[in-house]
Amino acid sequence: MNTPGQGEIPYDRIRAVEWRNDRLRLIDQRVLPQREEDLFFERVEDVSKAITDMVVRGAPAIGITAAYGVVLAARARYRQNHQGWRDAIRGDLDHLKAARPTAVNLAWAVDRMAAVIDTFDEEMDPVPTLLSVAKGIHMDDVAANHAMGRMGAALLTPGSGVLTHCNTGALATGGYGTALGVIRAGYADGRIARVYADETRPWLQGARLTAWELEQEQIPVTLIADSAAPFLMRQGEVQWFIVGADRIAANGDVANKIGTFAGALAARQLGVKVMVVAPTSTIDLATPSGERIPIEFRAPEEIRRCGGRDVAPEGSGAWNPAFDVTPAALIDAIVTERGVVEAPEPDKISALMAGGSA
Ligand code: MRU
């Protein structure tokens, strides 16, 4: 079954999140590329756990998943009690929002759904309205990705080589992708000649997910170890380092997958440009700078193990931030669905969010 926008433009065939037959369908991203498995969800608590456990990941995809999770919560609470359901659902929403701390799209989506709940009469069945709002959030995200794909690709000189980090594609969004959407669009119109992807330790989103997506679309990709990025840039193979974001602070600092900062530092030193591609739902004006962005730390086992086996002695410590912050000064362009902000700074970001020109 098609979901919003699917199949309308080239290289846009994958949907990782879908409302199907009154349930939420998620591709289980933990087992790709070895297995392509769908999981189905009917309970909000299982949706929260799926977000924490990385069944679904990527900031916009997490937000859309949470919006559908709110629909499931409302259905259950309304069935339990037609009167008190609006109070009972509050704990579900808080639990959903806490599933992962860095991606602001999660809180953004839950807050949007909560604002709609606040407008309901107590006894009205909330499910049809909430479902249509969740589908709207999903559809808007796909449309934003298509728009960002066009705008980001227009920044590339034909024949460019690009390097990307983590997975920012259809799997990480409502469909098509942010940074990977730019790569899809740039490849479709001949501006991109070479795509490189960092493997992205420790979860290997680049090796497992970005390479899988590009293979599905028959777009050639070359994987590199994360630590090979500066040397690749030094060879003149890539002109742009193109990444997504989990949260963009009001001053343009960007939190994204661990390793983005290292890539951006190398890029600046070596004359490679840095493009961050993210919808405005990722911009958090309430967070003034990157220092205030909450960074998720994950289990040490993710570092101590790789490919299902131990790679370090049992007693060794491990420090495992899932994200880092790239200062705005290292970023050449932030591409959003509302426009491109070049050399980001606070005034330009606030003008963009206020609806003015970037
Ligand atoms: O830990 P993950 O896989 O959820 O991290 C994802 C990223 O860092 C992405 O770059 C970001 O969410 C943008 S996805 C369009």
mmCIF file of all heavy atoms in Angstrom, residues 29 54 56-62 100 103 105 145 165-169 172-173 177-180 200 203 205 209 243-247 255-258 260 277-279 282 296 298 322-323, ligand 1:
data_model
loop_
_atom_site.group_PDB
_atom_site.id
_atom_site.type_symbol
_atom_site.label_atom_id
_atom_site.label_comp_id
_atom_site.label_asym_id
_atom_site.label_seq_id
_atom_site.Cartn_x
_atom_site.Cartn_y
_atom_site.Cartn_z
ATOM 1 N N GLN A 29 14.604 -1.835 11.934
ATOM 2 C CA GLN A 29 15.892 -1.371 11.400
ATOM 3 C C GLN A 29 17.089 -2.027 12.075
ATOM 4 O O GLN A 29 18.217 -1.876 11.638
ATOM 5 C CB GLN A 29 15.963 0.158 11.497
ATOM 6 C CG GLN A 29 14.843 0.828 10.716
ATOM 7 C CD GLN A 29 15.047 2.318 10.537
ATOM 8 O OE1 GLN A 29 16.165 2.822 10.457
ATOM 9 N NE2 GLN A 29 13.942 3.050 10.454
ATOM 10 N N MET A 54 15.678 1.369 19.063
ATOM 11 C CA MET A 54 16.177 1.598 17.700
ATOM 12 C C MET A 54 15.535 0.703 16.642
ATOM 13 O O MET A 54 16.108 0.503 15.571
ATOM 14 C CB MET A 54 17.711 1.457 17.620
ATOM 15 C CG MET A 54 18.475 2.194 18.680
ATOM 16 S SD MET A 54 18.885 3.886 18.247
ATOM 17 C CE MET A 54 20.223 3.707 17.098
ATOM 18 N N VAL A 56 13.003 1.788 15.194
ATOM 19 C CA VAL A 56 12.880 2.952 14.325
ATOM 20 C C VAL A 56 13.817 4.009 14.896
ATOM 21 O O VAL A 56 13.946 4.139 16.108
ATOM 22 C CB VAL A 56 11.414 3.451 14.271
ATOM 23 C CG1 VAL A 56 10.899 3.832 15.644
ATOM 24 C CG2 VAL A 56 11.254 4.627 13.321
ATOM 25 N N ARG A 57 14.511 4.721 13.993
ATOM 26 C CA ARG A 57 15.453 5.740 14.473
ATOM 27 C C ARG A 57 15.541 6.796 13.372
ATOM 28 O O ARG A 57 15.008 6.643 12.284
ATOM 29 C CB ARG A 57 16.822 5.156 14.893
ATOM 30 C CG ARG A 57 17.304 3.922 14.227
ATOM 31 C CD ARG A 57 17.587 4.067 12.774
ATOM 32 N NE ARG A 57 18.433 5.199 12.501
ATOM 33 C CZ ARG A 57 18.517 5.839 11.352
ATOM 34 N NH1 ARG A 57 17.770 5.440 10.309
ATOM 35 N NH2 ARG A 57 19.301 6.873 11.168
ATOM 36 N N GLY A 58 16.266 7.884 13.685
ATOM 37 C CA GLY A 58 16.268 9.032 12.781
ATOM 38 C C GLY A 58 15.222 10.013 13.283
ATOM 39 O O GLY A 58 14.061 9.639 13.498
ATOM 40 N N ALA A 59 15.627 11.281 13.446
ATOM 41 C CA ALA A 59 14.775 12.245 14.155
ATOM 42 C C ALA A 59 13.363 12.363 13.574
ATOM 43 O O ALA A 59 12.371 12.219 14.309
ATOM 44 C CB ALA A 59 15.474 13.600 14.200
ATOM 45 N N PRO A 60 13.200 12.613 12.265
ATOM 46 C CA PRO A 60 11.823 12.773 11.774
ATOM 47 C C PRO A 60 11.007 11.484 11.884
ATOM 48 O O PRO A 60 9.810 11.522 12.224
ATOM 49 C CB PRO A 60 12.016 13.181 10.311
ATOM 50 C CG PRO A 60 13.402 13.773 10.268
ATOM 51 C CD PRO A 60 14.190 12.960 11.232
ATOM 52 N N ALA A 61 11.639 10.336 11.642
ATOM 53 C CA ALA A 61 10.904 9.058 11.734
ATOM 54 C C ALA A 61 10.431 8.802 13.161
ATOM 55 O O ALA A 61 9.322 8.282 13.381
ATOM 56 C CB ALA A 61 11.780 7.903 11.248
ATOM 57 N N ILE A 62 11.253 9.183 14.118
ATOM 58 C CA ILE A 62 10.866 9.027 15.521
ATOM 59 C C ILE A 62 9.647 9.907 15.829
ATOM 60 O O ILE A 62 8.698 9.478 16.498
ATOM 61 C CB ILE A 62 12.036 9.416 16.459
ATOM 62 C CG1 ILE A 62 13.195 8.426 16.339
ATOM 63 C CG2 ILE A 62 11.571 9.474 17.899
ATOM 64 C CD1 ILE A 62 14.447 8.890 17.083
ATOM 65 N N ARG A 100 13.676 8.945 23.658
ATOM 66 C CA ARG A 100 15.050 9.330 23.287
ATOM 67 C C ARG A 100 15.156 10.852 23.465
ATOM 68 O O ARG A 100 14.259 11.586 23.058
ATOM 69 C CB ARG A 100 15.381 8.937 21.844
ATOM 70 C CG ARG A 100 15.570 7.428 21.678
ATOM 71 C CD ARG A 100 16.166 7.061 20.331
ATOM 72 N NE ARG A 100 17.599 7.292 20.290
ATOM 73 C CZ ARG A 100 18.323 7.221 19.146
ATOM 74 N NH1 ARG A 100 17.726 6.951 17.993
ATOM 75 N NH2 ARG A 100 19.625 7.414 19.171
ATOM 76 N N ALA A 103 16.699 13.960 19.764
ATOM 77 C CA ALA A 103 15.908 14.335 18.582
ATOM 78 C C ALA A 103 14.691 15.151 19.017
ATOM 79 O O ALA A 103 13.753 14.628 19.619
ATOM 80 C CB ALA A 103 15.456 13.090 17.836
ATOM 81 N N ASN A 105 12.388 16.387 17.256
ATOM 82 C CA ASN A 105 11.176 16.046 16.492
ATOM 83 C C ASN A 105 10.220 15.188 17.321
ATOM 84 O O ASN A 105 9.018 15.212 17.102
ATOM 85 C CB ASN A 105 11.533 15.266 15.225
ATOM 86 C CG ASN A 105 12.536 16.005 14.380
ATOM 87 O OD1 ASN A 105 13.639 16.264 14.834
ATOM 88 N ND2 ASN A 105 12.158 16.361 13.160
ATOM 89 N N ASN A 145 10.829 16.838 2.648
ATOM 90 C CA ASN A 145 12.027 16.158 2.137
ATOM 91 C C ASN A 145 12.179 16.358 0.631
ATOM 92 O O ASN A 145 13.286 16.577 0.127
ATOM 93 C CB ASN A 145 11.971 14.666 2.473
ATOM 94 C CG ASN A 145 12.135 14.429 3.960
ATOM 95 O OD1 ASN A 145 12.695 15.266 4.666
ATOM 96 N ND2 ASN A 145 11.641 13.307 4.440
ATOM 97 N N HIS A 165 26.905 10.807 6.449
ATOM 98 C CA HIS A 165 27.171 10.148 7.728
ATOM 99 C C HIS A 165 25.857 9.644 8.293
ATOM 100 O O HIS A 165 24.825 10.288 8.144
ATOM 101 C CB HIS A 165 27.806 11.173 8.685
ATOM 102 C CG HIS A 165 28.334 10.580 9.956
ATOM 103 N ND1 HIS A 165 29.380 9.682 9.984
ATOM 104 C CD2 HIS A 165 27.961 10.746 11.254
ATOM 105 C CE1 HIS A 165 29.628 9.338 11.242
ATOM 106 N NE2 HIS A 165 28.776 9.969 12.025
ATOM 107 N N CYS A 166 25.881 8.497 8.928
ATOM 108 C CA CYS A 166 24.688 7.895 9.534
ATOM 109 C C CYS A 166 23.685 7.521 8.441
ATOM 110 O O CYS A 166 24.050 7.328 7.273
ATOM 111 C CB CYS A 166 24.081 8.835 10.581
ATOM 112 S SG CYS A 166 22.897 8.033 11.687
ATOM 113 N N ASN A 167 22.414 7.410 8.794
ATOM 114 C CA ASN A 167 21.364 7.207 7.792
ATOM 115 C C ASN A 167 20.328 8.301 7.961
ATOM 116 O O ASN A 167 19.760 8.478 9.046
ATOM 117 C CB ASN A 167 20.690 5.845 7.932
ATOM 118 C CG ASN A 167 19.465 5.753 7.021
ATOM 119 O OD1 ASN A 167 18.354 6.067 7.444
ATOM 120 N ND2 ASN A 167 19.663 5.393 5.774
ATOM 121 N N THR A 168 20.100 9.010 6.879
ATOM 122 C CA THR A 168 19.186 10.148 6.890
ATOM 123 C C THR A 168 18.149 9.987 5.780
ATOM 124 O O THR A 168 17.614 10.969 5.280
ATOM 125 C CB THR A 168 19.963 11.453 6.652
ATOM 126 O OG1 THR A 168 20.587 11.335 5.357
ATOM 127 C CG2 THR A 168 21.019 11.688 7.701
ATOM 128 N N GLY A 169 17.894 8.748 5.395
ATOM 129 C CA GLY A 169 17.065 8.498 4.228
ATOM 130 C C GLY A 169 15.618 8.215 4.556
ATOM 131 O O GLY A 169 15.063 8.694 5.563
ATOM 132 N N ALA A 172 14.898 6.993 7.973
ATOM 133 C CA ALA A 172 15.050 7.935 9.092
ATOM 134 C C ALA A 172 13.978 9.016 9.107
ATOM 135 O O ALA A 172 13.988 9.882 9.978
ATOM 136 C CB ALA A 172 16.426 8.588 9.013
ATOM 137 N N THR A 173 13.070 8.966 8.140
ATOM 138 C CA THR A 173 12.097 10.060 7.961
ATOM 139 C C THR A 173 10.740 9.459 7.563
ATOM 140 O O THR A 173 10.567 8.246 7.567
ATOM 141 C CB THR A 173 12.559 10.999 6.825
ATOM 142 O OG1 THR A 173 12.610 10.250 5.594
ATOM 143 C CG2 THR A 173 13.931 11.597 7.106
ATOM 144 N N GLY A 177 13.933 11.177 2.655
ATOM 145 C CA GLY A 177 15.119 11.515 3.439
ATOM 146 C C GLY A 177 15.490 12.978 3.388
ATOM 147 O O GLY A 177 15.017 13.738 2.546
ATOM 148 N N THR A 178 16.391 13.355 4.331
ATOM 149 C CA THR A 178 16.874 14.728 4.411
ATOM 150 C C THR A 178 18.187 14.833 3.621
ATOM 151 O O THR A 178 18.165 15.122 2.430
ATOM 152 C CB THR A 178 17.045 15.140 5.881
ATOM 153 O OG1 THR A 178 17.930 14.220 6.531
ATOM 154 C CG2 THR A 178 15.715 15.153 6.615
ATOM 155 N N ALA A 179 19.306 14.541 4.280
ATOM 156 C CA ALA A 179 20.587 14.549 3.547
ATOM 157 C C ALA A 179 20.552 13.522 2.411
ATOM 158 O O ALA A 179 21.003 13.791 1.297
ATOM 159 C CB ALA A 179 21.735 14.254 4.513
ATOM 160 N N LEU A 180 20.000 12.359 2.695
ATOM 161 C CA LEU A 180 19.943 11.341 1.636
ATOM 162 C C LEU A 180 18.909 11.724 0.570
ATOM 163 O O LEU A 180 19.021 11.285 -0.576
ATOM 164 C CB LEU A 180 19.643 9.959 2.226
ATOM 165 C CG LEU A 180 20.259 8.786 1.454
ATOM 166 C CD1 LEU A 180 21.772 8.868 1.369
ATOM 167 C CD2 LEU A 180 19.844 7.449 2.043
ATOM 168 N N THR A 200 29.636 4.554 10.249
ATOM 169 C CA THR A 200 28.908 5.094 11.401
ATOM 170 C C THR A 200 28.844 4.122 12.580
ATOM 171 O O THR A 200 27.795 3.577 12.930
ATOM 172 C CB THR A 200 27.480 5.569 11.026
ATOM 173 O OG1 THR A 200 27.514 6.251 9.769
ATOM 174 C CG2 THR A 200 26.921 6.503 12.088
ATOM 175 N N TRP A 203 26.438 1.839 15.717
ATOM 176 C CA TRP A 203 25.235 1.141 15.221
ATOM 177 C C TRP A 203 25.313 0.837 13.724
ATOM 178 O O TRP A 203 24.443 0.181 13.174
ATOM 179 C CB TRP A 203 23.966 1.968 15.538
ATOM 180 C CG TRP A 203 23.348 1.552 16.837
ATOM 181 C CD1 TRP A 203 23.715 1.991 18.076
ATOM 182 C CD2 TRP A 203 22.300 0.612 17.047
ATOM 183 N NE1 TRP A 203 22.948 1.387 19.037
ATOM 184 C CE2 TRP A 203 22.067 0.539 18.433
ATOM 185 C CE3 TRP A 203 21.513 -0.172 16.204
ATOM 186 C CZ2 TRP A 203 21.093 -0.300 18.998
ATOM 187 C CZ3 TRP A 203 20.543 -0.997 16.764
ATOM 188 C CH2 TRP A 203 20.351 -1.055 18.142
ATOM 189 N N GLN A 205 24.756 2.635 11.091
ATOM 190 C CA GLN A 205 23.628 3.092 10.259
ATOM 191 C C GLN A 205 24.055 3.335 8.809
ATOM 192 O O GLN A 205 23.251 3.173 7.894
ATOM 193 C CB GLN A 205 23.035 4.396 10.832
ATOM 194 C CG GLN A 205 22.274 4.220 12.130
ATOM 195 C CD GLN A 205 23.145 4.494 13.330
ATOM 196 O OE1 GLN A 205 24.357 4.291 13.288
ATOM 197 N NE2 GLN A 205 22.552 4.942 14.413
ATOM 198 N N LEU A 209 22.234 0.648 6.820
ATOM 199 C CA LEU A 209 20.968 1.253 6.390
ATOM 200 C C LEU A 209 21.131 2.141 5.146
ATOM 201 O O LEU A 209 20.356 2.015 4.196
ATOM 202 C CB LEU A 209 20.360 2.059 7.550
ATOM 203 C CG LEU A 209 20.201 1.281 8.871
ATOM 204 C CD1 LEU A 209 19.648 2.178 9.967
ATOM 205 C CD2 LEU A 209 19.316 0.052 8.689
ATOM 206 N N VAL A 243 24.878 16.029 5.781
ATOM 207 C CA VAL A 243 24.368 15.299 6.951
ATOM 208 C C VAL A 243 22.982 15.805 7.346
ATOM 209 O O VAL A 243 22.533 16.857 6.881
ATOM 210 C CB VAL A 243 25.333 15.465 8.162
ATOM 211 C CG1 VAL A 243 26.689 14.856 7.861
ATOM 212 C CG2 VAL A 243 25.470 16.937 8.552
ATOM 213 N N GLY A 244 22.333 15.046 8.216
ATOM 214 C CA GLY A 244 21.059 15.466 8.790
ATOM 215 C C GLY A 244 21.270 16.101 10.155
ATOM 216 O O GLY A 244 22.389 16.504 10.502
ATOM 217 N N ALA A 245 20.205 16.191 10.937
ATOM 218 C CA ALA A 245 20.309 16.767 12.286
ATOM 219 C C ALA A 245 19.238 16.174 13.181
ATOM 220 O O ALA A 245 18.153 15.827 12.715
ATOM 221 C CB ALA A 245 20.147 18.287 12.230
ATOM 222 N N ASP A 246 19.588 16.066 14.450
ATOM 223 C CA ASP A 246 18.599 15.667 15.460
ATOM 224 C C ASP A 246 18.014 16.865 16.180
ATOM 225 O O ASP A 246 16.902 16.808 16.696
ATOM 226 C CB ASP A 246 19.222 14.705 16.474
ATOM 227 C CG ASP A 246 19.199 13.300 15.927
ATOM 228 O OD1 ASP A 246 20.029 13.006 15.048
ATOM 229 O OD2 ASP A 246 18.306 12.525 16.327
ATOM 230 N N ARG A 247 18.803 17.921 16.241
ATOM 231 C CA ARG A 247 18.300 19.169 16.830
ATOM 232 C C ARG A 247 19.218 20.301 16.375
ATOM 233 O O ARG A 247 20.444 20.171 16.425
ATOM 234 C CB ARG A 247 18.289 19.073 18.358
ATOM 235 C CG ARG A 247 17.546 20.204 19.007
ATOM 236 C CD ARG A 247 17.609 20.134 20.528
ATOM 237 N NE ARG A 247 17.014 18.948 21.127
ATOM 238 C CZ ARG A 247 16.192 18.951 22.166
ATOM 239 N NH1 ARG A 247 15.844 20.104 22.716
ATOM 240 N NH2 ARG A 247 15.742 17.826 22.680
ATOM 241 N N ALA A 255 23.156 19.317 16.519
ATOM 242 C CA ALA A 255 23.407 17.991 17.111
ATOM 243 C C ALA A 255 23.062 16.936 16.071
ATOM 244 O O ALA A 255 21.989 16.974 15.461
ATOM 245 C CB ALA A 255 22.548 17.788 18.358
ATOM 246 N N ASN A 256 23.987 16.035 15.845
ATOM 247 C CA ASN A 256 23.737 14.932 14.901
ATOM 248 C C ASN A 256 24.592 13.745 15.330
ATOM 249 O O ASN A 256 25.368 13.835 16.296
ATOM 250 C CB ASN A 256 24.053 15.378 13.467
ATOM 251 C CG ASN A 256 23.553 14.383 12.441
ATOM 252 O OD1 ASN A 256 22.394 13.971 12.487
ATOM 253 N ND2 ASN A 256 24.404 13.956 11.528
ATOM 254 N N LYS A 257 24.455 12.663 14.618
ATOM 255 C CA LYS A 257 25.129 11.410 14.972
ATOM 256 C C LYS A 257 26.599 11.617 15.305
ATOM 257 O O LYS A 257 27.299 12.358 14.617
ATOM 258 C CB LYS A 257 24.955 10.430 13.800
ATOM 259 C CG LYS A 257 25.640 9.096 13.951
ATOM 260 C CD LYS A 257 25.265 8.360 15.219
ATOM 261 C CE LYS A 257 23.770 8.189 15.415
ATOM 262 N NZ LYS A 257 23.438 7.801 16.830
ATOM 263 N N ILE A 258 27.048 10.943 16.353
ATOM 264 C CA ILE A 258 28.449 11.043 16.766
ATOM 265 C C ILE A 258 29.370 10.797 15.548
ATOM 266 O O ILE A 258 29.165 9.840 14.798
ATOM 267 C CB ILE A 258 28.742 10.051 17.928
ATOM 268 C CG1 ILE A 258 30.117 10.291 18.542
ATOM 269 C CG2 ILE A 258 28.598 8.592 17.502
ATOM 270 C CD1 ILE A 258 30.162 11.506 19.411
ATOM 271 N N THR A 260 29.793 13.403 13.364
ATOM 272 C CA THR A 260 29.501 14.530 12.455
ATOM 273 C C THR A 260 30.480 15.678 12.690
ATOM 274 O O THR A 260 30.998 16.289 11.744
ATOM 275 C CB THR A 260 28.050 15.013 12.672
ATOM 276 O OG1 THR A 260 27.172 13.908 12.484
ATOM 277 C CG2 THR A 260 27.693 16.132 11.709
ATOM 278 N N VAL A 277 20.936 19.130 6.370
ATOM 279 C CA VAL A 277 19.607 19.112 5.757
ATOM 280 C C VAL A 277 18.610 18.633 6.815
ATOM 281 O O VAL A 277 18.728 17.523 7.334
ATOM 282 C CB VAL A 277 19.588 18.158 4.540
ATOM 283 C CG1 VAL A 277 18.270 18.299 3.786
ATOM 284 C CG2 VAL A 277 20.773 18.422 3.624
ATOM 285 N N ALA A 278 17.644 19.491 7.146
ATOM 286 C CA ALA A 278 16.697 19.136 8.216
ATOM 287 C C ALA A 278 15.427 19.966 8.079
ATOM 288 O O ALA A 278 15.499 21.162 7.770
ATOM 289 C CB ALA A 278 17.321 19.392 9.586
ATOM 290 N N PRO A 279 14.273 19.363 8.358
ATOM 291 C CA PRO A 279 13.039 20.153 8.331
ATOM 292 C C PRO A 279 12.990 21.114 9.511
ATOM 293 O O PRO A 279 13.714 20.940 10.497
ATOM 294 C CB PRO A 279 11.950 19.083 8.454
ATOM 295 C CG PRO A 279 12.604 17.945 9.163
ATOM 296 C CD PRO A 279 14.056 17.965 8.747
ATOM 297 N N THR A 282 12.994 20.233 13.206
ATOM 298 C CA THR A 282 14.232 19.882 13.911
ATOM 299 C C THR A 282 14.876 21.118 14.544
ATOM 300 O O THR A 282 15.832 21.013 15.299
ATOM 301 C CB THR A 282 15.199 19.198 12.909
ATOM 302 O OG1 THR A 282 14.543 18.073 12.333
ATOM 303 C CG2 THR A 282 16.474 18.709 13.564
ATOM 304 N N GLU A 296 22.236 12.186 24.171
ATOM 305 C CA GLU A 296 21.939 10.830 24.631
ATOM 306 C C GLU A 296 23.234 10.024 24.764
ATOM 307 O O GLU A 296 24.038 10.004 23.830
ATOM 308 C CB GLU A 296 21.020 10.148 23.609
ATOM 309 C CG GLU A 296 20.720 8.687 23.918
ATOM 310 C CD GLU A 296 19.861 8.035 22.816
ATOM 311 O OE1 GLU A 296 19.667 8.625 21.737
ATOM 312 O OE2 GLU A 296 19.398 6.911 23.059
ATOM 313 N N ARG A 298 24.423 6.111 25.358
ATOM 314 C CA ARG A 298 23.851 4.770 25.269
ATOM 315 C C ARG A 298 24.786 3.754 25.945
ATOM 316 O O ARG A 298 25.871 4.088 26.402
ATOM 317 C CB ARG A 298 23.569 4.413 23.800
ATOM 318 C CG ARG A 298 22.474 5.328 23.211
ATOM 319 C CD ARG A 298 22.039 4.912 21.830
ATOM 320 N NE ARG A 298 21.454 3.592 21.766
ATOM 321 C CZ ARG A 298 20.139 3.341 21.880
ATOM 322 N NH1 ARG A 298 19.283 4.330 22.047
ATOM 323 N NH2 ARG A 298 19.695 2.107 21.811
ATOM 324 N N ALA A 322 25.751 9.191 21.783
ATOM 325 C CA ALA A 322 25.143 8.842 20.490
ATOM 326 C C ALA A 322 25.204 10.014 19.506
ATOM 327 O O ALA A 322 25.048 9.816 18.299
ATOM 328 C CB ALA A 322 23.695 8.412 20.697
ATOM 329 N N PHE A 323 25.418 11.218 20.036
ATOM 330 C CA PHE A 323 25.404 12.416 19.182
ATOM 331 C C PHE A 323 26.549 13.336 19.580
ATOM 332 O O PHE A 323 27.091 13.229 20.680
ATOM 333 C CB PHE A 323 24.062 13.159 19.333
ATOM 334 C CG PHE A 323 22.882 12.286 18.958
ATOM 335 C CD1 PHE A 323 22.158 11.618 19.934
ATOM 336 C CD2 PHE A 323 22.540 12.100 17.634
ATOM 337 C CE1 PHE A 323 21.099 10.785 19.587
ATOM 338 C CE2 PHE A 323 21.491 11.270 17.272
ATOM 339 C CZ PHE A 323 20.763 10.612 18.252
HETATM 340 O O1 MRU B 1 20.755 7.267 16.533
HETATM 341 P P1 MRU B 1 20.009 7.538 15.265
HETATM 342 O O2 MRU B 1 20.203 6.501 14.224
HETATM 343 O O3 MRU B 1 18.547 7.850 15.514
HETATM 344 O O4 MRU B 1 20.667 8.875 14.710
HETATM 345 C C1 MRU B 1 20.164 9.436 13.529
HETATM 346 C C2 MRU B 1 20.898 10.634 13.077
HETATM 347 O O5 MRU B 1 21.825 11.081 13.712
HETATM 348 C C3 MRU B 1 20.406 11.310 11.847
HETATM 349 O O6 MRU B 1 21.465 11.932 11.177
HETATM 350 C C4 MRU B 1 19.367 12.363 12.219
HETATM 351 O O7 MRU B 1 18.391 11.827 13.057
HETATM 352 C C5 MRU B 1 18.710 12.935 11.022
HETATM 353 S S1 MRU B 1 17.746 11.735 10.178
HETATM 354 C C6 MRU B 1 16.973 12.494 8.883
#
